[in-house]
PDB file of all heavy atoms in Angstrom:
ATOM      1  N   MET A  13      55.396 -19.003 -42.037  1.00 76.00           N
ATOM      2  CA  MET A  13      55.132 -20.394 -41.726  1.00 76.00           C
ATOM      3  C   MET A  13      56.227 -21.257 -42.357  1.00 76.00           C
ATOM      4  O   MET A  13      56.679 -20.977 -43.443  1.00 76.00           O
ATOM      5  CB  MET A  13      53.748 -20.757 -42.269  1.00 76.00           C
ATOM      6  CG  MET A  13      53.361 -22.182 -42.038  1.00 76.00           C
ATOM      7  SD  MET A  13      51.662 -22.524 -42.487  1.00 76.00           S
ATOM      8  CE  MET A  13      50.863 -21.994 -41.005  1.00 76.00           C
ATOM      9  N   VAL A  22      57.885 -20.597 -45.795  1.00 82.00           N
ATOM     10  CA  VAL A  22      56.936 -20.484 -46.900  1.00 82.00           C
ATOM     11  C   VAL A  22      56.039 -19.280 -46.627  1.00 82.00           C
ATOM     12  O   VAL A  22      55.221 -19.301 -45.715  1.00 82.00           O
ATOM     13  CB  VAL A  22      56.062 -21.755 -47.041  1.00 82.00           C
ATOM     14  CG1 VAL A  22      55.138 -21.632 -48.233  1.00 82.00           C
ATOM     15  CG2 VAL A  22      56.913 -22.993 -47.136  1.00 82.00           C
ATOM     16  N   GLY A  25      52.519 -19.253 -51.854  1.00 85.00           N
ATOM     17  CA  GLY A  25      52.571 -20.460 -52.677  1.00 85.00           C
ATOM     18  C   GLY A  25      52.678 -21.710 -51.846  1.00 85.00           C
ATOM     19  O   GLY A  25      52.204 -21.783 -50.715  1.00 85.00           O
ATOM     20  N   GLY A  26      53.285 -22.715 -52.405  1.00 86.00           N
ATOM     21  CA  GLY A  26      53.387 -23.995 -51.737  1.00 86.00           C
ATOM     22  C   GLY A  26      52.070 -24.751 -51.810  1.00 86.00           C
ATOM     23  O   GLY A  26      51.194 -24.438 -52.613  1.00 86.00           O
ATOM     24  N   VAL A  27      51.914 -25.731 -50.957  1.00 88.00           N
ATOM     25  CA  VAL A  27      50.707 -26.547 -50.898  1.00 88.00           C
ATOM     26  C   VAL A  27      50.131 -26.423 -49.499  1.00 88.00           C
ATOM     27  O   VAL A  27      50.814 -26.686 -48.510  1.00 88.00           O
ATOM     28  CB  VAL A  27      51.027 -28.029 -51.218  1.00 88.00           C
ATOM     29  CG1 VAL A  27      49.784 -28.881 -51.123  1.00 88.00           C
ATOM     30  CG2 VAL A  27      51.667 -28.156 -52.591  1.00 88.00           C
ATOM     31  N   LYS A  28      48.866 -26.028 -49.409  1.00 86.00           N
ATOM     32  CA  LYS A  28      48.219 -25.828 -48.120  1.00 86.00           C
ATOM     33  C   LYS A  28      47.308 -27.011 -47.825  1.00 86.00           C
ATOM     34  O   LYS A  28      46.574 -27.480 -48.688  1.00 86.00           O
ATOM     35  CB  LYS A  28      47.435 -24.525 -48.136  1.00 86.00           C
ATOM     36  CG  LYS A  28      46.930 -24.084 -46.784  1.00 86.00           C
ATOM     37  CD  LYS A  28      46.454 -22.650 -46.851  1.00 86.00           C
ATOM     38  CE  LYS A  28      45.751 -22.157 -45.632  1.00 86.00           C
ATOM     39  NZ  LYS A  28      46.417 -22.225 -44.401  1.00 86.00           N
ATOM     40  N   ASP A  29      47.369 -27.508 -46.585  1.00 83.00           N
ATOM     41  CA  ASP A  29      46.499 -28.582 -46.127  1.00 83.00           C
ATOM     42  C   ASP A  29      46.043 -28.238 -44.715  1.00 83.00           C
ATOM     43  O   ASP A  29      46.770 -28.455 -43.751  1.00 83.00           O
ATOM     44  CB  ASP A  29      47.246 -29.913 -46.146  1.00 83.00           C
ATOM     45  CG  ASP A  29      46.351 -31.083 -45.727  1.00 83.00           C
ATOM     46  OD1 ASP A  29      45.124 -30.988 -45.881  1.00 83.00           O
ATOM     47  OD2 ASP A  29      46.896 -32.094 -45.243  1.00 83.00           O
ATOM     48  N   GLY A  30      44.860 -27.691 -44.604  1.00 83.00           N
ATOM     49  CA  GLY A  30      44.366 -27.249 -43.301  1.00 83.00           C
ATOM     50  C   GLY A  30      45.237 -26.133 -42.768  1.00 83.00           C
ATOM     51  O   GLY A  30      45.455 -25.123 -43.433  1.00 83.00           O
ATOM     52  N   LYS A  31      45.780 -26.335 -41.572  1.00 83.00           N
ATOM     53  CA  LYS A  31      46.645 -25.328 -40.962  1.00 83.00           C
ATOM     54  C   LYS A  31      48.094 -25.465 -41.422  1.00 83.00           C
ATOM     55  O   LYS A  31      48.921 -24.604 -41.126  1.00 83.00           O
ATOM     56  CB  LYS A  31      46.597 -25.441 -39.445  1.00 83.00           C
ATOM     57  CG  LYS A  31      45.250 -25.083 -38.852  1.00 83.00           C
ATOM     58  CD  LYS A  31      45.276 -25.186 -37.357  1.00 83.00           C
ATOM     59  CE  LYS A  31      43.926 -24.822 -36.767  1.00 83.00           C
ATOM     60  NZ  LYS A  31      43.919 -24.923 -35.313  1.00 83.00           N
ATOM     61  N   LEU A  32      48.418 -26.530 -42.123  1.00 83.00           N
ATOM     62  CA  LEU A  32      49.795 -26.759 -42.569  1.00 83.00           C
ATOM     63  C   LEU A  32      50.021 -26.194 -43.959  1.00 83.00           C
ATOM     64  O   LEU A  32      49.129 -26.199 -44.796  1.00 83.00           O
ATOM     65  CB  LEU A  32      50.106 -28.259 -42.584  1.00 83.00           C
ATOM     66  CG  LEU A  32      50.031 -28.974 -41.246  1.00 83.00           C
ATOM     67  CD1 LEU A  32      50.241 -30.469 -41.432  1.00 83.00           C
ATOM     68  CD2 LEU A  32      51.052 -28.417 -40.272  1.00 83.00           C
ATOM     69  N   ARG A  33      51.237 -25.704 -44.195  1.00 86.00           N
ATOM     70  CA  ARG A  33      51.636 -25.240 -45.523  1.00 86.00           C
ATOM     71  C   ARG A  33      52.988 -25.870 -45.841  1.00 86.00           C
ATOM     72  O   ARG A  33      53.946 -25.720 -45.101  1.00 86.00           O
ATOM     73  CB  ARG A  33      51.740 -23.725 -45.591  1.00 86.00           C
ATOM     74  CG  ARG A  33      52.053 -23.231 -47.012  1.00 86.00           C
ATOM     75  CD  ARG A  33      52.158 -21.724 -47.093  1.00 86.00           C
ATOM     76  NE  ARG A  33      50.956 -21.031 -46.725  1.00 86.00           N
ATOM     77  CZ  ARG A  33      49.977 -20.699 -47.576  1.00 86.00           C
ATOM     78  NH1 ARG A  33      50.083 -21.002 -48.840  1.00 86.00           N
ATOM     79  NH2 ARG A  33      48.921 -20.032 -47.151  1.00 86.00           N
ATOM     80  N   TYR A  34      53.029 -26.582 -46.969  1.00 87.00           N
ATOM     81  CA  TYR A  34      54.237 -27.254 -47.425  1.00 87.00           C
ATOM     82  C   TYR A  34      54.891 -26.405 -48.505  1.00 87.00           C
ATOM     83  O   TYR A  34      54.208 -25.740 -49.276  1.00 87.00           O
ATOM     84  CB  TYR A  34      53.902 -28.639 -47.988  1.00 87.00           C
ATOM     85  CG  TYR A  34      53.236 -29.532 -46.967  1.00 87.00           C
ATOM     86  CD1 TYR A  34      51.859 -29.509 -46.783  1.00 87.00           C
ATOM     87  CD2 TYR A  34      53.995 -30.388 -46.196  1.00 87.00           C
ATOM     88  CE1 TYR A  34      51.253 -30.313 -45.846  1.00 87.00           C
ATOM     89  CE2 TYR A  34      53.389 -31.199 -45.247  1.00 87.00           C
ATOM     90  CZ  TYR A  34      52.025 -31.165 -45.073  1.00 87.00           C
ATOM     91  OH  TYR A  34      51.429 -31.960 -44.136  1.00 87.00           O
ATOM     92  N   CYS A  35      56.212 -26.477 -48.590  1.00 88.00           N
ATOM     93  CA  CYS A  35      56.923 -25.658 -49.571  1.00 88.00           C
ATOM     94  C   CYS A  35      56.704 -26.171 -50.990  1.00 88.00           C
ATOM     95  O   CYS A  35      56.781 -25.397 -51.946  1.00 88.00           O
ATOM     96  CB  CYS A  35      58.423 -25.619 -49.257  1.00 88.00           C
ATOM     97  SG  CYS A  35      59.246 -27.207 -49.448  1.00 88.00           S
ATOM     98  N   SER A  36      56.426 -27.473 -51.148  1.00 89.00           N
ATOM     99  CA  SER A  36      56.284 -28.055 -52.480  1.00 89.00           C
ATOM    100  C   SER A  36      55.389 -29.286 -52.423  1.00 89.00           C
ATOM    101  O   SER A  36      55.087 -29.807 -51.348  1.00 89.00           O
ATOM    102  CB  SER A  36      57.657 -28.462 -53.028  1.00 89.00           C
ATOM    103  OG  SER A  36      58.178 -29.522 -52.245  1.00 89.00           O
ATOM    104  N   ARG A  37      55.023 -29.762 -53.581  1.00 88.00           N
ATOM    105  CA  ARG A  37      54.232 -30.987 -53.688  1.00 88.00           C
ATOM    106  C   ARG A  37      55.045 -32.174 -53.168  1.00 88.00           C
ATOM    107  O   ARG A  37      54.496 -33.101 -52.576  1.00 88.00           O
ATOM    108  CB  ARG A  37      53.843 -31.204 -55.160  1.00 88.00           C
ATOM    109  CG  ARG A  37      52.906 -32.345 -55.345  1.00 88.00           C
ATOM    110  CD  ARG A  37      51.581 -31.913 -54.818  1.00 88.00           C
ATOM    111  NE  ARG A  37      50.519 -32.814 -55.189  1.00 88.00           N
ATOM    112  CZ  ARG A  37      49.378 -32.813 -54.565  1.00 88.00           C
ATOM    113  NH1 ARG A  37      49.158 -31.973 -53.589  1.00 88.00           N
ATOM    114  NH2 ARG A  37      48.430 -33.625 -54.922  1.00 88.00           N
ATOM    115  N   TYR A  40      54.700 -32.226 -49.445  1.00 87.00           N
ATOM    116  CA  TYR A  40      53.320 -32.602 -49.131  1.00 87.00           C
ATOM    117  C   TYR A  40      53.153 -34.115 -49.253  1.00 87.00           C
ATOM    118  O   TYR A  40      52.587 -34.764 -48.377  1.00 87.00           O
ATOM    119  CB  TYR A  40      52.350 -31.876 -50.058  1.00 87.00           C
ATOM    120  CG  TYR A  40      50.913 -32.294 -49.888  1.00 87.00           C
ATOM    121  CD1 TYR A  40      50.140 -31.791 -48.845  1.00 87.00           C
ATOM    122  CD2 TYR A  40      50.323 -33.194 -50.771  1.00 87.00           C
ATOM    123  CE1 TYR A  40      48.822 -32.181 -48.681  1.00 87.00           C
ATOM    124  CE2 TYR A  40      49.012 -33.592 -50.615  1.00 87.00           C
ATOM    125  CZ  TYR A  40      48.267 -33.084 -49.572  1.00 87.00           C
ATOM    126  OH  TYR A  40      46.964 -33.477 -49.412  1.00 87.00           O
ATOM    127  N   ARG A  47      49.461 -37.724 -42.291  1.00 81.00           N
ATOM    128  CA  ARG A  47      48.035 -37.444 -42.503  1.00 81.00           C
ATOM    129  C   ARG A  47      47.188 -38.695 -42.318  1.00 81.00           C
ATOM    130  O   ARG A  47      46.129 -38.642 -41.708  1.00 81.00           O
ATOM    131  CB  ARG A  47      47.815 -36.827 -43.882  1.00 81.00           C
ATOM    132  CG  ARG A  47      48.383 -35.426 -44.010  1.00 81.00           C
ATOM    133  CD  ARG A  47      47.940 -34.734 -45.281  1.00 81.00           C
ATOM    134  NE  ARG A  47      48.303 -35.454 -46.496  1.00 81.00           N
ATOM    135  CZ  ARG A  47      49.498 -35.391 -47.094  1.00 81.00           C
ATOM    136  NH1 ARG A  47      50.455 -34.637 -46.572  1.00 81.00           N
ATOM    137  NH2 ARG A  47      49.748 -36.062 -48.196  1.00 81.00           N
TER     138      ARG A  47
END
Side-chain angles (χ1 to χ4, degrees):
M13 179 172 276
V22 183
V27 179
K28 191 167 172 57
D29 182 25
K31 293 181 180 180
L32 298 175
R33 184 180 299 270
Y34 300 87
C35 66
S36 66
R37 187 72 168 162
Y40 175 80
R47 291 191 302 277

